[in-house]
Structure formats: structure tokens, C-alpha cells
Amino acid sequence: MRIKSIVIFLLFAGLIGLAFYTAMDKKEEKPTEVKKEENTGLKRGSTAPNFSLKTLDGKQVDLKDYRGKKIIVNFWATWCPPCREEMPEMERFYKDYKNQDVEILAVNLEYSEPNTEKVSKFVQEYKLSFPIPLDEKNTIGKQYRAVSIPTSYFIDEEGMVSTSHIGPMDYEFMKNEINKMNR
């Protein structure tokens, strides 16, 4: 009986020693550095996921090409009343800030539209001058979790998400969010 107790004690002590050794070994490991590309996401401080879409006028737009500028990525549709409400404010803001390295990419969720012609008429009616990328299959809308629209993301000069906003924006709100990036 005594030998059995000694064997169990030694096994138990060996397991504790192994656990201790493993824990100490892990503490000595240096933390791995996360590369910027690996820190992609929608949370504040994450690199905004890149996307590539064609605009209403057929030009290719890549988010990464706007590095060095502050960007508002806005998801919208022509049938959305709050989107209609914010468009004049966005246009006024864009005209005032486009020469200050600020860009608006108003991503139309085209999959939800009856046709592209309706989007064109909307842009003409509201006299919008900022780029209108078309998300034909809602790929980017899903990636950016634009379930409720309008949804907007504010992205700094380095491509990092500063903040996001669900609902219509007005001029003062956009101005304040862009100015927060200067701090």
C-alpha cells in the first residue's frame, strides 16, 4: 500500500512539475508582432478592409488608393429615406472638405435597387459630385456589416477605422468626426 502511495505521489509531482515547466517556458516566449495587414477589421484602430468596386461612371475604385486621405465610406440606397436626408449634407461637406484631403465614397447597395438608371437619376437630382461605387452583389455591404442603412465608416489617413455610425449624418457630425482624426 505504501509503495502504491509513493508511485501516485511521484506521478502527481511529475505532472505538477511538467505543468510548471510548460507555464514558465511560455512566459519566456516573446509576443509575436501583429502585422498591419493582419489587423484588418471594423473596430476602431483596425485597418479597414480593402475593397474594389466600379463607380457609376465605370471607374475602378480601390479603398487602399485613398491612403493619405481621411475617408467617409457611406453605404446607402435610393429608396432609403434617411439616406435621402443625408445626401445634401454629404455633398455640402464634400465640397467644403475635398481640398483638405477628405474623400467620400458613397457605396450604393445596387443589389437592392430596381436598376442602375434609378441610381443615376438620384445622383443627378441631388447633384452629387463624390464617387458612387456600386456594390452589385452586396459583397462589400456584408463585409462592412451595413445591415441598417445608412451606415458610415470614418477611416484615417493610414487606413485605420476611426469610428462608425449608423443613421443619417449631418454636416456638423461629419465635421466633428473628421476633426477628431486630427488629434
Side-chain angles (χ1 to χ4, degrees), residues 99-115:
N99 293 329
Q100 297 177 38
D101 285 330
V102 175
E103 188 64 64
I104 293 177
L105 298 176
V107 179
N108 176 264
L109 299 175
E110 187 187 6
Y111 79 99
S112 71
E113 301 285 359
N115 57 50

Side-chain angles (χ1 to χ4, degrees), residues 33-40 47:
E33 202 171 302
V34 178
K35 295 179 184 174
K36 264 191 178 179
E37 301 84 39
E38 293 174 2
N39 187 22
T40 301
T47 302

Side-chain angles (χ1 to χ4, degrees), residues 51-70:
F51 61 81
S52 182
L53 294 170
K54 289 209 187 270
T55 61
L56 194 55
D57 57 2
K59 294 178 185 168
Q60 192 72 30
V61 169
D62 289 284
L63 181 62
K64 67 180 180 191
D65 292 343
Y66 291 90
R67 292 274 168 92
K69 292 186 175 192
K70 296 172 187 167

Side-chain angles (χ1 to χ4, degrees), residues 66-70 101 155-160 181-182:
Y66 291 90
R67 292 274 168 92
K69 292 186 175 192
K70 296 172 187 167
D101 285 330
I155 302 168
D156 71 16
E157 298 95 326
E158 295 177 13
M160 308 294 266
M181 289 187 217
N182 291 334

Side-chain angles (χ1 to χ4, degrees), residues 51-56 61 63 71-78 83 86-87 90 104-113 119 128 130-142 144 146 149-153 155:
F51 61 81
S52 182
L53 294 170
K54 289 209 187 270
T55 61
L56 194 55
V61 169
L63 181 62
I71 309 160
I72 301 172
V73 177
N74 174 264
F75 293 91
W76 68 283
T78 61
C83 301
E86 76 179 351
M87 284 298 169
M90 287 173 55
I104 293 177
L105 298 176
V107 179
N108 176 264
L109 299 175
E110 187 187 6
Y111 79 99
S112 71
E113 301 285 359
V119 179
L128 304 178
F130 43 80
I132 310 287
L134 302 173
D135 190 2
E136 297 173 351
K137 298 177 183 171
N138 194 29
T139 311
I140 309 309
K142 281 182 184 176
Y144 275 78
I149 55 173
T151 293
S152 300
Y153 287 87
I155 302 168

